[in-house]
Amino acid sequence: MSLKNTAAQYGTIAKWLHWSVAGLFLAAYTAVYYRQWFTDQGTDVNWTALQLHLSFGVTIGVLVLLRVIWRLMNRQPDPVAGTRLEHLAAHLGHYALYAVMIVLPITGYLGTGVATEWFFLFDIPKFEEMWLFEWLVAGQLGLDFVTFEKPMDFIHKEIFGKWLAWLLIVGHAGAALYHHYVKKDDTLRKMTKF
């Protein structure tokens, strides 16, 4: 198995990044929904669930950055046979997924009013305490954190988090299963065969 992508399939690094980000997205959603549905505000377990969500989110942000760099540095496997419309839909779907993978961690970090205790190992300061907030948001835009936080939360939670991310994930998984079971091509195997 090659570390790099080949014409026939994705390499080990691309696969590891893909499945790590997928697993971390599931973990981040699990933590935030557990917090909302099963904990009371102000309790230790509520705080732990929040910190896990934030830790997963920061980790996703770092891995997605590495994933974008790796994608730019590597060839992509050859596309399977399909219509122009199918290829266009695949490209648009992938671009939309990348947008979600980039926007969710960024808006999550920018709109969080607490420091991230990264898996309880060390603290990552909240954006409000960073020089960029002071210079750009408070200084140049003249906004306080509460005013700045509202659109970040809306983008993170309402637009991307609640609906768009799930629609794209279900669509992506559905397309992979369609290729595997209906078209019977190697699309799914390119990302699952280790």
Side-chain angles (χ1 to χ4, degrees):
M1 167 56 54
S2 172
L3 289 177
K4 291 184 144 194
N5 301 343
T6 66
Q9 71 176 9
Y10 290 97
T12 302
I13 293 175
K15 290 176 184 177
W16 182 86
L17 289 168
H18 176 275
W19 291 109
S20 295
V21 169
L24 287 166
F25 256 93
L26 182 60
Y29 271 104
T30 300
V32 79
Y33 285 128
Y34 177 81
R35 178 177 185 248
Q36 290 175 0
W37 295 341
F38 301 110
T39 70
D40 294 321
Q41 193 82 8
T43 62
D44 288 344
V45 70
N46 182 277
W47 180 256
T48 299
L50 171 64
Q51 287 301 324
L52 286 173
H53 177 73
L54 299 176
S55 297
F56 292 133
V58 168
T59 307
I60 289 166
V62 171
L63 289 181
V64 168
L65 176 63
L66 294 174
R67 186 173 174 176
V68 169
I69 292 168
W70 187 253
R71 182 179 173 100
L72 293 173
M73 293 174 48
N74 280 271
R75 67 160 296 143
Q76 295 302 298
D78 293 339
V80 297
T83 67
R84 286 180 58 187
L85 182 60
E86 287 174 325
H87 287 283
L88 176 63
H91 286 302
L92 291 176
H94 281 113
Y95 289 134
L97 277 169
Y98 272 98
V100 165
M101 290 187 294
I102 292 166
V103 170
L104 274 174
I106 290 173
T107 56
Y109 176 71
L110 295 178
T112 299
V114 298
T116 300
E117 298 172 6
W118 193 77
F119 296 109
F120 309 102
L121 299 173
F122 58 86
D123 287 357
I124 299 170
K126 60 185 176 178
F127 181 62
E128 183 182 11
E129 296 173 349
M130 304 296 284
W131 68 268
L132 186 58
F133 177 83
E134 285 299 321
W135 175 76
L136 179 63
V137 179
Q140 302 298 314
L141 300 175
L143 300 174
D144 63 7
F145 183 73
V146 173
T147 305
F148 175 76
E149 178 187 29
K150 287 179 184 174
M152 293 300 113
D153 277 349
F154 182 76
I155 293 167
H156 182 77
K157 294 175 185 173
E158 301 300 326
I159 295 176
F160 282 85
K162 277 189 181 175
W163 305 110
L164 186 58
W166 282 115
L167 289 172
L168 291 170
I169 291 166
V170 168
H172 183 66
L177 294 173
Y178 168 76
H179 275 279
H180 189 72
Y181 291 108
V182 177
K183 292 190 81 173
K184 300 190 185 306
D185 61 31
D186 285 338
T187 299
L188 185 60
R189 283 186 207 90
K190 287 179 183 183
M191 191 51 81
T192 58
K193 186 177 177 187
F194 281 91

